[in-house]
């Protein structure tokens, strides 16, 4: 469940007590244990947006933080009415935090950005400039990535190339969730309520005119990464299984392959017996039984993964 500050956005009080119009832009930023970076993120995001001279809002989603992040967010809201706070009752995850922000964002264009300052808020005006030129999804492309290991860069690049190969979703390489989406795109995304969410894939799947803007991704300034290897693997599996049936089809492909080998084996045995060769011993039989048992378990595991997802959808629990 989510605890949401009142979001009456059609008319809202400005800092000077005057009435201001509905925001043109919504900056959506998930927050999880970022007490060291939140004040600086707020300062830089506000400074970047104020250069545009247009009304905007900053929507911060507290994804069950266990540090002072929630208190800092409330202080920012009290100090600046443009800051809106959505507070989860527990940690629901980065993708659902983004979903909540998009659900409550009121801007004509919505920008999703992480609050850890690896994605510089100063890039947002560049995304908006492309939007004003007619693009409806503007994704930020990481031309440089500071503070990341060669292993992480290589595996990320491999993941995007794999998912582009096995799906019909052309997710741009070297991109994350940092992107701008037009209100039409946002309304389309709000219609998709699946539990296992891969937002960067969904934002491409909906279509519309899309373009990219290059930027230099900074190293994390403080705190710890929220995506260690274990979460990265799970995230990759969510992305692949959300847009591709290939893992499920592997069971069929394996069945045909093993079946074909079995037919070849039967023919070989018949021919050997016809020519007088005697086959003795049970080693081959035992190895084949174990091999087939392993294949069956793998296939059942793949089917179970999809059945588990169907079970999640049938329960219809709240997303956040």
């Amino acid at each position: 469940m989510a605890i949401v500050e009142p979001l009456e956005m059609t008319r809202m009080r400005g800092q000077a007590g005057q009435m201001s119009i509905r925001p043109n832009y919504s900056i959506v930023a998930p927050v999880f244990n970022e007490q060291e970076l939140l004040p600086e993120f707020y300062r830089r995001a506000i400074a970047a947006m104020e250069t545009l001279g247009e009304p905007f809002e900053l929507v911060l989603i507290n994804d069950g933080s266990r540090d002072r992040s929630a208190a800092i967010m409330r202080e920012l809201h009290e100090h600046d009415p443009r800051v809106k706070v959505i507070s989860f009752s527990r940690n629901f995850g980065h993708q659902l935090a983004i979903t909540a922000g998009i659900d409550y964002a009121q801007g004509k264009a919505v920008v999703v950005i992480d609050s850890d300052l690896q994605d510089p808020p100063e890039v947002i005006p560049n995304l908006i400039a492309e939007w004003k030129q007619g693009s409806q999804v503007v994704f930020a492309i990481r031309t440089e990535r500071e503070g990341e290991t060669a292993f992480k860069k290589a595996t990320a690049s491999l993941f995007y190339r794999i998912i582009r190969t096995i799906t019909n979703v052309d997710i741009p390489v070297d991109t994350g969730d940092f992107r701008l989406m037009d209100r039409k795109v946002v309304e389309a995304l709000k219609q998709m309520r699946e539990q296992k969410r891969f937002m960067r894939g969904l934002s491409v799947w909906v279509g519309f005119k899309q373009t990219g803007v290059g930027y230099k991704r900074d190293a994390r300034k403080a705190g710890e990464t929220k995506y260690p290897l274990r979460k990265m693997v799970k995230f990759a599996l969510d992305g692949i299984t959300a847009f591709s049936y290939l893992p499920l089809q592997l069971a069929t492909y394996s069945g045909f392959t093993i079946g074909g080998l079995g037919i070849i084996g039967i023919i070989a045995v018949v021919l050997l017996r016809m020519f007088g060769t005697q086959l003795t011993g049970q080693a081959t039989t035992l190895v084949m039984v174990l091999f087939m048992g392993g294949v069956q378990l793998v296939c059942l595991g793949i089917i179970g993964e999809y059945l588990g997802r169907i079970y999640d959808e049938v329960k219809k629990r709240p997303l956040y």
Side-chain angles (χ1 to χ4, degrees), residues 255-271 288 292:
F256 278 115
T257 301
I258 300 301
L261 292 175
I263 293 173
I264 293 173
I266 292 171
I267 294 173
V269 169
V270 170
L271 291 175
M288 288 302 298
M292 289 300 298

Side-chain angles (χ1 to χ4, degrees), residues 26-51:
S26 297
I27 312 303
V28 171
V31 178
F32 179 61
N33 296 341
E34 298 289 3
Q35 62 180 11
E36 298 94 342
L37 296 174
L38 257 180
E40 180 65 9
F41 171 77
Y42 163 79
R43 184 191 68 79
R44 289 174 58 180
I46 294 296
M49 295 305 298
E50 286 182 338
T51 62

Side-chain angles (χ1 to χ4, degrees), residues 228-243:
L229 180 60
R230 176 180 58 83
K231 285 190 175 182
M232 288 297 295
V233 171
K234 182 180 181 300
F235 186 60
L237 290 175
D238 283 343
I240 291 171
T241 53
F243 292 96

Side-chain angles (χ1 to χ4, degrees), residues 226-301:
K226 305 307 183 292
Y227 270 95
L229 180 60
R230 176 180 58 83
K231 285 190 175 182
M232 288 297 295
V233 171
K234 182 180 181 300
F235 186 60
L237 290 175
D238 283 343
I240 291 171
T241 53
F243 292 96
S244 175
Y245 291 118
L246 180 61
L248 188 59
Q249 293 166 344
L250 286 176
T252 303
Y253 298 150
S254 298
F256 278 115
T257 301
I258 300 301
L261 292 175
I263 293 173
I264 293 173
I266 292 171
I267 294 173
V269 169
V270 170
L271 291 175
L272 288 172
R273 287 187 177 276
M274 287 176 60
F275 288 99
T277 302
Q278 296 297 321
L279 300 177
T280 59
Q282 297 180 340
T284 303
T285 303
L286 291 174
V287 169
M288 288 302 298
V289 169
L290 291 173
F291 177 70
M292 289 300 298
V295 170
Q296 290 172 342
L297 288 174
V298 170
C299 294
L300 286 173

Side-chain angles (χ1 to χ4, degrees), residues 186-246:
V186 170
E187 292 301 323
L189 286 174
K190 287 167 67 174
Q191 296 179 45
M192 292 181 282
R193 311 307 292 176
E194 58 203 65
Q195 294 275 341
K196 302 293 184 181
R197 305 180 72 79
F198 187 64
M199 294 301 295
R200 63 192 70 173
L202 291 174
S203 65
V204 174
W205 182 87
V206 295
F208 299 98
K209 184 178 179 181
Q210 310 208 4
T211 190
V213 171
Y215 78 105
K216 176 182 177 182
R217 193 168 198 244
D218 297 331
R220 172 175 274 276
K221 301 294 190 299
E224 298 179 353
T225 178
K226 305 307 183 292
Y227 270 95
L229 180 60
R230 176 180 58 83
K231 285 190 175 182
M232 288 297 295
V233 171
K234 182 180 181 300
F235 186 60
L237 290 175
D238 283 343
I240 291 171
T241 53
F243 292 96
S244 175
Y245 291 118
L246 180 61

Side-chain angles (χ1 to χ4, degrees), residues 95 142 145 150-177 179 196-202 204 227 229-244 246-247 309:
Q95 299 298 290
R142 302 162 179 171
R145 303 172 66 158
F151 174 77
K152 185 170 183 178
K153 293 178 183 178
T155 52
S157 178
L158 178 63
F159 163 69
Y160 284 113
R161 283 163 175 80
I162 289 175
I163 200 170
R164 291 177 76 178
T165 301
I166 66 176
T167 71
N168 58 356
V169 179
D170 189 16
I171 301 176
V173 177
D174 297 324
T175 61
D177 291 307
R179 64 192 59 212
K196 302 293 184 181
R197 305 180 72 79
F198 187 64
M199 294 301 295
R200 63 192 70 173
L202 291 174
V204 174
Y227 270 95
L229 180 60
R230 176 180 58 83
K231 285 190 175 182
M232 288 297 295
V233 171
K234 182 180 181 300
F235 186 60
L237 290 175
D238 283 343
I240 291 171
T241 53
F243 292 96
S244 175
L246 180 61
R309 292 173 182 273

